[in-house]
Amino acid sequence: MEERVERQFVPARVIFTNEALAYPLGKKLWETFSGLGIPVIRTARQDVASLIPGATAREIYQEAKRTLAVGVRRGTRFETCRPSADYQLPLVASCPGSCQYCYLHTRFGRHPYLRAYVNIEEILARADRYIAERHPAITSFEAAASGDPLPLEPYTGALKTAIEHFASQDKSRLRFVTKYVNVGSLLAARHAGRTRTRLSVNLPGVIRKWEGGAPRLEERLEAVHALAKAGYPVGFLIAPVFLFADWQKAYGELLDRLAGEWRSWELPEETTVGEAGEKEPSLTLEIVSHRFTARAREAIREIFPQTSVPFEQECRSFRYGQFGYGKYVYNRELLNEMKAFFSEQIARKLPRARLEYIV
Ligand code: SF4
């Protein structure tokens, strides 16, 4: 069998805050990147954006996507993370990819530089307090709420640390979603079935046109197969779903392909979680329709002036989201049609999988 080749993200520069260098992981990252000959910068300032070169919005964006800021995650609260999980687990932010429709355009605007937090033990201790406060309810955490955690994993090992931490935390679940395929370091991690790993997938045409720098669908399917073989409960996140002409045919074919892959792996339909031997469906699906904010639309048009990402307003409704900003979502009629379509297709093509939500 051909061996999977894992490409690694290499930043153009790494900026460290002084306080990050007081942590062992901060020191280790400084040595790693210096050893690789990558420019390392030490700063007392929190204003990393001012250290990133570039004259135009597009240049600044491109340079930001090649810049890693290493810092300390402060604050005593985690953001909530509905519908994916109870809380966000802030280990990293942003990612080196250039998906034109990226949901992070709203949050990071022109400065989507990557962030890695070095105080992982403190972050996990905070998660433990949430678990204790909510006991005996299960508390779930999403490690990919503010970016993709895989590209930085070869350097920080943060995700593996979190997976092994939650493996022994009763009443906890960890989840993360990724488009990246460097999952090798996670395969031998002790996870006890408590971490669900999901791959974000879409139509090959969407990936080709709008997901610059992200791996192809075939590579993502290989990665999720490797994770499933390693005993992780897994999932497919189909996002964002674009409701263009003939969308039913295109997404129906994608579901055929996912269902065919899943069947061909011949893996158990249920996964055992923790020592108590609780059972969960091995495969889940999540479906997210395309949405955008006015701020994101403005940033996308500035960075990708030729973009063909659809921002048509006639089929959209305006809604206020979790963080108080308004977003354009497909109108009720289209969303209902989409929900009926995916519910029926998934029940028929992947009957043992759990459909978590369609939004
Ligand atoms: S991989 Fe995810 S986080 Fe990264 S650019 Fe694409 S949508 Fe945004």
Side-chain angles (χ1 to χ4, degrees):
M1 200 167 91
E2 214 178 296
E3 215 179 301
R4 287 190 325 107
V5 180
E6 297 198 344
R7 282 166 294 173
Q8 186 162 329
F9 163 66
V10 180
R13 66 194 66 80
V14 187
I15 301 168
F16 292 79
T17 59
N18 281 336
E19 57 174 351
L21 289 167
Y23 285 79
L25 180 56
K27 289 194 189 101
K28 185 189 131 204
L29 291 173
W30 178 277
E31 279 159 25
T32 302
F33 289 115
S34 312
L36 289 170
I38 294 169
V40 287
I41 303 156
R42 181 176 182 145
T43 175
R45 291 179 293 167
Q46 296 299 323
D47 183 17
V48 173
S50 66
L51 300 169
I52 299 174
T56 63
R58 185 170 170 81
E59 277 173 22
I60 294 168
Y61 172 84
Q62 287 170 331
E63 291 296 339
K65 287 282 185 173
R66 302 169 67 216
T67 302
L68 169 61
V70 178
V72 174
R73 208 283 182 171
R74 290 286 168 223
T76 54
R77 288 181 55 246
F78 291 173
E79 301 280 4
T80 56
C81 195
R82 288 288 170 202
S84 164
D86 295 310
Y87 295 102
Q88 303 185 9
L89 186 75
L91 300 175
V92 300
S94 194
C95 99
S98 301
C99 300
Q100 295 187 18
Y101 57 71
C102 181
Y103 64 112
L104 296 177
H105 286 299
T106 301
R107 178 153 173 197
F108 297 134
R110 290 184 185 167
H111 299 295
Y113 56 85
L114 285 78
R115 290 102 163 138
Y117 301 116
V118 292
N119 55 330
I120 296 171
E121 277 72 29
E122 290 165 5
I123 294 167
L124 293 175
R126 182 66 190 101
D128 291 350
R129 291 203 292 282
Y130 279 118
I131 296 167
E133 281 160 23
R134 290 167 46 95
H135 194 274
I138 289 175
T139 306
S140 56
F141 298 89
E142 170 62 78
S146 304
D148 196 310
L150 259 289
L152 294 178
E153 186 61 14
Y155 302 111
T156 66
L159 202 49
K160 184 170 184 225
T161 302
I163 289 169
E164 297 198 327
H165 178 84
F166 284 105
S168 50
Q169 281 300 72
D170 193 23
K171 302 295 177 193
S172 77
R173 294 286 189 282
L174 177 64
R175 344 166 17 86
F176 69 88
V177 63
T178 182
K179 286 191 176 82
Y180 287 84
V181 297
N182 55 304
V183 297
S185 66
L186 307 182
L187 299 181
R190 197 173 61 82
H191 57 75
R194 284 206 174 90
T195 296
R196 186 173 291 274
T197 62
R198 299 113 75 216
L199 264 286
S200 170
V201 295
N202 217 316
L203 306 175
V206 169
I207 294 175
R208 209 170 38 244
K209 265 194 300 190
W210 297 326
E211 295 187 357
R216 289 173 299 118
L217 180 60
E218 293 70 24
E219 297 174 277
R220 297 183 208 180
L221 293 173
E222 281 173 23
V224 78
H225 184 196
L227 289 161
K229 275 198 301 189
Y232 285 94
V234 296
F236 293 120
L237 170 74
I238 304 183
V241 172
F242 292 95
L243 301 183
F244 47 75
D246 266 357
W247 63 268
Q248 290 98 331
K249 182 170 181 293
Y251 283 101
E253 285 169 4
L254 177 63
L255 284 168
D256 284 336
R257 178 148 185 204
L258 299 181
E261 289 282 337
W262 175 254
R263 277 196 303 275
S264 73
W265 300 341
E266 298 182 340
L267 292 166
E269 296 284 353
E270 286 193 321
T271 302
T272 306
V273 179
E275 295 73 39
E278 239 172 278
K279 298 279 185 197
E280 282 207 1
S282 300
L283 180 69
T284 56
L285 281 109
E286 296 149 87
I287 315 291
V288 181
S289 60
H290 179 234
R291 67 263 331 273
F292 59 89
T293 61
R295 178 175 150 92
R297 181 178 54 197
E298 198 184 312
I300 294 165
R301 284 180 171 158
E302 216 175 16
I303 298 161
F304 307 101
Q306 311 297 328
T307 189
S308 54
V309 171
F311 294 119
E312 74 292 58
Q313 259 170 257
E314 53 291 355
C315 57
R316 310 274 181 165
S317 306
F318 188 72
R319 270 203 217 144
Y320 279 97
Q322 182 192 354
F323 299 105
Y325 51 77
K327 56 189 171 186
Y328 294 93
V329 299
Y330 286 115
N331 65 35
R332 188 179 300 275
E333 197 186 341
L334 278 170
L335 277 182
N336 285 343
E337 205 183 315
M338 182 187 126
K339 285 179 185 175
F341 171 82
F342 277 100
S343 305
E344 187 278 327
Q345 290 263 319
I346 290 167
R348 186 157 49 81
K349 295 177 177 174
L350 287 161
R352 305 283 302 278
R354 181 171 72 208
L355 171 57
E356 306 230 71
Y357 54 84
I358 304 177
V359 291

